[in-house]
Amino acid sequence: MRVALSDLRERGPRLLRGDGIGLLALLLGLLAVLLGFIALSDEVREKETQHFDERVLLSLRRPDNPELPRGPVWLAEAARDVTALGSVSVLALVVCTVGGYLALVRRWRTLALVVGSTVGGTLLNSLLKGLFARPRPTVVPHLTWVMTESFPSGHAMLSAIVYLTLGALLAQLVERHWLKVYLVAVGLSLPLLVGVTRVYLGVHYPTDVLGGWMAGLGWALLSALVARAVRRRSHSLREEARGETQPP
């Protein structure tokens, strides 16, 4: 008992600095996102957001012809191009490309974390869509083809998971602070753009996208916590994070 208390007194100040603050930030962020998603999903289930959602979608279409979106003619095609960044096929290609690099440099544990986070997030999204079973918007015509339920947005959620996870991973490989900030900012910006295009194309309500962002961010934070815990227990993974594993 005395040894444990002594060890706690020695490690306590270190936990309150650096590593401990980062862990606390992750836990608080995860809690905030979880509570926000629960509150939003409750409002969606009770259709409290339906009027707001439909008004936003209608505001993005021409009053005289809801089939035509506001803005220049090229904007709809550009939106379809950007929204593809959150599609399963494109995200799978991105993960496979990064996974191939990680395999070539023998960062097997990091590869497992990336693949596990992506596959787990995909399964979670399918589970949530089936649970809420929210129909797609019908107040405006869709400008792109869709198959699954509406809440939460799969494009918004999966793009948040993949791009945030990869942004955080790449940020560990650079030294300069501004490069870390840039990589994380890109990881945040891509899901934002994807989510906005889903609303513009009329295939999701705004609350679908917001729910997707929340769920994706929450899963990315949970994956970061798992990776943090595994890294503390695995000397090999700590070496990979520091870039000490050499290619063949």
Side-chain angles (χ1 to χ4, degrees):
M1 184 68 176
R2 291 181 179 178
V3 174
L5 290 174
S6 176
D7 182 63
L8 180 60
R9 284 195 295 268
E10 291 178 1
R11 295 174 57 189
R14 291 198 301 271
L15 291 174
L16 292 177
R17 301 191 299 266
D19 188 65
I21 293 176
L23 176 60
L24 180 61
L26 284 175
L27 289 171
L28 290 177
L30 180 59
L31 178 62
V33 170
L34 178 60
L35 293 176
F37 182 82
I38 292 174
L40 176 65
S41 61
D42 185 60
E43 293 293 308
V44 168
R45 187 186 292 274
E46 296 179 358
K47 297 186 177 182
E48 296 290 335
T49 65
Q50 193 68 26
H51 180 66
F52 165 78
D53 283 331
E54 291 181 353
R55 288 196 62 179
V56 171
L57 290 180
L58 287 171
S59 71
L60 296 174
R61 299 299 174 94
R62 296 182 182 178
D64 56 330
N65 188 357
E67 293 186 0
L68 298 177
R70 292 182 183 269
V73 176
W74 55 264
L75 189 57
E77 187 62 29
R80 280 188 284 267
D81 292 338
V82 173
T83 208
L85 294 174
S87 66
V88 172
S89 55
V90 172
L91 292 176
L93 181 61
V94 170
V95 171
C96 288
T97 301
V98 175
Y101 166 76
L102 294 174
L104 288 173
V105 297
R106 296 186 176 182
R107 295 193 173 190
W108 305 113
R109 295 166 182 82
T110 304
L111 172 60
L113 289 173
V114 171
V115 173
S117 175
T118 303
V119 173
T122 303
L123 295 175
L124 177 62
N125 181 253
S126 297
L127 177 65
L128 291 174
K129 281 180 175 288
L131 177 64
F132 292 103
R134 189 184 195 187
R136 291 279 180 168
T138 57
V139 67
V140 295
H142 299 168
L143 299 182
T144 190
W145 189 59
V146 290
M147 295 184 296
T148 59
E149 293 84 0
S150 198
F151 183 88
S153 166
H155 279 63
M157 179 176 173
L158 296 180
S159 63
I161 291 172
V162 171
Y163 295 129
L164 285 176
T165 299
L166 296 182
L169 173 65
L170 293 174
Q172 295 179 7
L173 305 179
V174 298
E175 296 292 335
R176 296 183 180 180
H177 178 71
W178 67 270
L179 285 175
K180 294 179 183 290
V181 172
Y182 170 77
L183 290 169
V184 173
V186 170
L188 287 168
S189 299
L190 291 177
L192 289 175
L193 289 173
V194 169
V196 169
T197 60
R198 301 307 283 172
V199 178
Y200 183 77
L201 294 172
V203 295
H204 274 299
Y205 296 112
T207 48
D208 296 336
V209 171
L210 181 58
W213 284 335
M214 287 181 173
L217 177 57
W219 187 257
L221 290 173
L222 180 60
S223 299
L225 285 170
V226 172
R228 190 187 190 94
V230 174
R231 191 179 297 119
R232 290 177 66 88
R233 295 176 176 271
S234 172
H235 176 70
S236 299
L237 190 56
R238 288 196 299 271
E239 287 182 348
E240 286 189 7
R242 291 194 296 265
E244 295 177 8
T245 302
Q246 298 297 325

